[in-house]
Amino acid sequence: MSLAAGSKLGTYEILASIGAGGMGEVYRARDTKLKRDVALKVLPAVFANDPDAWLASSARPRCWLR
């Protein structure tokens, strides 16, 4: 889900894209309610549709460190 600068997501106004990777996209955004800039991470749809997918993908890197 790519968001364009100026678009709104809840109380957040997207200012710019910071980066993207396998776990989602990160945006510089403005919290219009608290009047401050924040980093906003948007996860891929697969994590919304399958809660276990997030657990499996986040646990995998920890296993490699052991």
Side-chain angles (χ1 to χ4, degrees), residues 1-59:
M1 165 189 243
S2 291
L3 301 172
S7 61
K8 302 236 181 192
L9 186 62
T11 62
Y12 302 102
E13 179 181 356
I14 304 302
L15 301 175
S17 175
I18 295 175
M23 290 294 291
E25 299 177 57
V26 180
Y27 296 92
R28 182 171 160 240
R30 179 84 178 158
D31 185 329
T32 57
K33 194 172 188 178
L34 298 176
K35 308 275 193 257
R36 63 180 179 182
D37 287 358
V38 298
L40 183 67
K41 186 171 195 175
V42 179
L43 300 177
V46 66
F47 296 122
N49 298 331
D50 182 6
D52 293 331
W54 180 85
L55 180 60
S57 66
S58 65

